Amino acid sequence: ILYDYYLKHLVNSIETPDSSQIEKYYIENRDQKYLEPKRVLVRQIKVEVKEEADSLLVLLEKSPHLFESFVASSSINSGKNLGLMEPFKSGQYNFLGERAFDMSVGDVSGIIENLDKTFSIIKLEEVYPEKALPLKTVYKRIESLLIKEGQESIKSETFNKYLKSSKLFISDEYKKYIN
């Protein structure tokens, strides 16, 4: 009971890391842990019938500048954003997402069959490159991580110090539980 109380006291006595420690950790780990992946922004024409997608694609091959007007007039997802999707990272939106990451800005895709049995044609509007998240965005996360690491370190050191004490006697029946 005393040991548990003492250990709890030590763990709770960990000081909050100062900003220089957090900044140092951020700089050392930014490229491994705090990168926002490459993302793409696409505009989508989505229709329910493949023949309609075929017709639109033929027209777009002749006049790609009509993409937005086709979204407004033909797409089931036209809405106020004219088919503009939220930026997304690789691995999202199945076939549509895979195709978007193979395109260049301004390109119009072929017909993409979606999992919900609809058909899409997309235009790549913008590519957002991989970039580091700002320190202010991950500051609290790093602070919590450093506190937890400090607590784990104290637990480990205290327990190991306790076990290595020459005054501690452990009977043979309990030695199998200690490494």
Side-chain angles (χ1 to χ4, degrees), residues 11 14-17 142-152:
V11 166
I14 293 290
E15 292 183 22
T16 303
I142 294 171
E143 182 181 63
S144 297
L145 177 78
L146 292 177
I147 290 171
K148 185 174 181 176
E149 283 179 356
Q151 290 173 333
E152 292 300 321

Side-chain angles (χ1 to χ4, degrees), residues 43-73:
R43 192 173 302 276
Q44 174 185 209
I45 298 172
K46 187 173 186 177
V47 295
E48 293 178 345
V49 181
K50 186 172 187 324
E51 290 75 19
E52 184 179 4
D54 288 333
S55 299
L56 290 170
L57 186 59
V58 168
L59 295 171
L60 283 170
E61 287 171 349
K62 294 176 186 172
S63 306
H65 64 280
L66 295 175
F67 198 93
E68 286 184 31
S69 62
F70 288 158
V71 172
S73 64

Side-chain angles (χ1 to χ4, degrees), residues 7-148:
L7 188 58
K8 184 176 179 180
H9 167 72
L10 286 177
V11 166
N12 290 333
S13 69
I14 293 290
E15 292 183 22
T16 303
D18 66 26
S19 59
S20 64
Q21 291 171 301
I22 293 171
E23 186 174 356
K24 179 179 183 239
Y25 183 88
Y26 171 77
I27 290 169
E28 290 172 354
N29 294 282
R30 175 180 44 214
D31 294 338
Q32 294 81 26
K33 296 182 178 184
Y34 303 110
L35 284 180
E36 183 175 59
K38 176 181 174 181
R39 297 175 303 135
V40 294
L41 177 68
V42 301
R43 192 173 302 276
Q44 174 185 209
I45 298 172
K46 187 173 186 177
V47 295
E48 293 178 345
V49 181
K50 186 172 187 324
E51 290 75 19
E52 184 179 4
D54 288 333
S55 299
L56 290 170
L57 186 59
V58 168
L59 295 171
L60 283 170
E61 287 171 349
K62 294 176 186 172
S63 306
H65 64 280
L66 295 175
F67 198 93
E68 286 184 31
S69 62
F70 288 158
V71 172
S73 64
S74 303
S75 185
I76 58 178
N77 68 336
S78 61
K80 63 181 178 186
N81 293 333
L82 287 175
L84 201 59
M85 299 174 68
E86 289 290 321
F88 59 90
K89 62 185 178 183
S90 181
Q92 292 181 294
Y93 296 110
N94 300 309
F95 304 121
L96 185 148
E98 287 175 24
R99 182 68 183 110
F101 276 87
D102 290 336
M103 297 169 60
S104 297
V105 173
D107 285 354
V108 174
S109 74
I111 297 169
I112 301 165
E113 186 172 354
N114 300 310
L115 295 178
D116 65 356
K117 303 298 182 201
T118 60
F119 301 88
S120 294
I121 302 170
I122 60 173
K123 178 181 179 186
L124 184 61
E125 297 285 343
E126 196 167 346
V127 175
Y128 302 104
E130 179 179 73
K131 67 176 183 174
L133 294 168
L135 176 59
K136 67 180 181 178
T137 304
V138 294
Y139 189 91
K140 285 292 185 188
R141 191 180 342 161
I142 294 171
E143 182 181 63
S144 297
L145 177 78
L146 292 177
I147 290 171
K148 185 174 181 176

